[in-house]
Amino acid sequence: MSQAPAADPIEATRRWLERAVIGLNLCPFAKAVLAKGQVRFVLSQALTPEDLLEELASELVLLEQSDPDKIDTTLLIHPRVLTDFLDFNDFLDLADGAVAALDLEGEIQVASFHPDYQFAGTDFDDVGNCTNRSPYPTLHLLRELSVERAVAAFPDPEVIVERNLETLEKLGFEGWRRLMG
């Protein structure tokens, strides 16, 4: 079900963010940070998981030390490593370990997106997996304080997942392909 992404990974990711994440309102908090220019898009040069882990650590430190009004969140796009979803999924333990090793637990969290994302207990072709399907493997670094503020300001944040699944079921895979095409 993976899409053939555009040649420029940052532009493809920005288009996905605008069309799917914001356009379908999959994340009601994304529009404001993108509009304010607070999303940092980083194209990883990593060829190995070890290289990616080093880049991730650098980006975690940079985000932590940055003014949230300038950089509130980072998308670390890594098109040349962890293209297999199971390898990517295994790497997430290392990503969480990097957050802990840098003493950033409770400050920054890492969310995950992948062209072949598959939630546990679902079939690969379950359209609900599209909530986390991006053009390229991507690690999303989020400030926990920003997430907490956004959730507190949103009425009924617990309905977001349910609403997203309903939106994607109505859209279907063909609609998803057209949207991302």
Side-chain angles (χ1 to χ4, degrees), residues 25-36:
N25 201 28
L26 298 178
C27 177
F29 320 121
K31 186 176 183 177
V33 292
L34 184 65
K36 293 184 217 172

Side-chain angles (χ1 to χ4, degrees), residues 80-133:
R80 301 185 302 170
V81 65
L82 301 176
T83 56
D84 178 85
F85 177 69
L86 294 178
D87 293 339
F88 173 81
N89 200 47
D90 289 344
F91 181 84
L92 297 176
D93 287 335
L94 298 175
D96 289 340
V99 170
L102 293 166
D103 200 27
L104 295 174
E105 288 180 306
E107 290 185 47
I108 298 176
Q109 61 181 262
V110 179
S112 56
F113 299 92
H114 192 280
D116 296 324
Y117 201 98
Q118 183 175 352
F119 288 102
T122 66
D123 292 329
F124 180 80
D125 60 354
D126 185 327
V127 74
N129 291 318
C130 292
T131 62
N132 285 58
R133 287 193 179 166

Side-chain angles (χ1 to χ4, degrees), residues 13-28:
T13 301
R14 181 181 296 276
R15 186 174 62 244
W16 162 74
L17 182 62
E18 291 169 349
R19 289 182 181 180
V21 177
I22 294 170
L24 295 176
N25 201 28
L26 298 178
C27 177

Side-chain angles (χ1 to χ4, degrees), residues 106-165:
E107 290 185 47
I108 298 176
Q109 61 181 262
V110 179
S112 56
F113 299 92
H114 192 280
D116 296 324
Y117 201 98
Q118 183 175 352
F119 288 102
T122 66
D123 292 329
F124 180 80
D125 60 354
D126 185 327
V127 74
N129 291 318
C130 292
T131 62
N132 285 58
R133 287 193 179 166
S134 57
Y136 294 94
T138 301
L139 299 171
H140 184 189
L141 287 54
L142 298 134
R143 295 176 188 272
E144 293 217 5
L145 189 57
S146 296
V147 172
E148 289 169 15
R149 275 196 304 260
V151 168
F154 189 81
D156 300 324
E158 59 278 353
V159 302
I160 294 171
V161 172
E162 182 180 316
R163 187 195 64 219
N164 288 350
L165 291 174

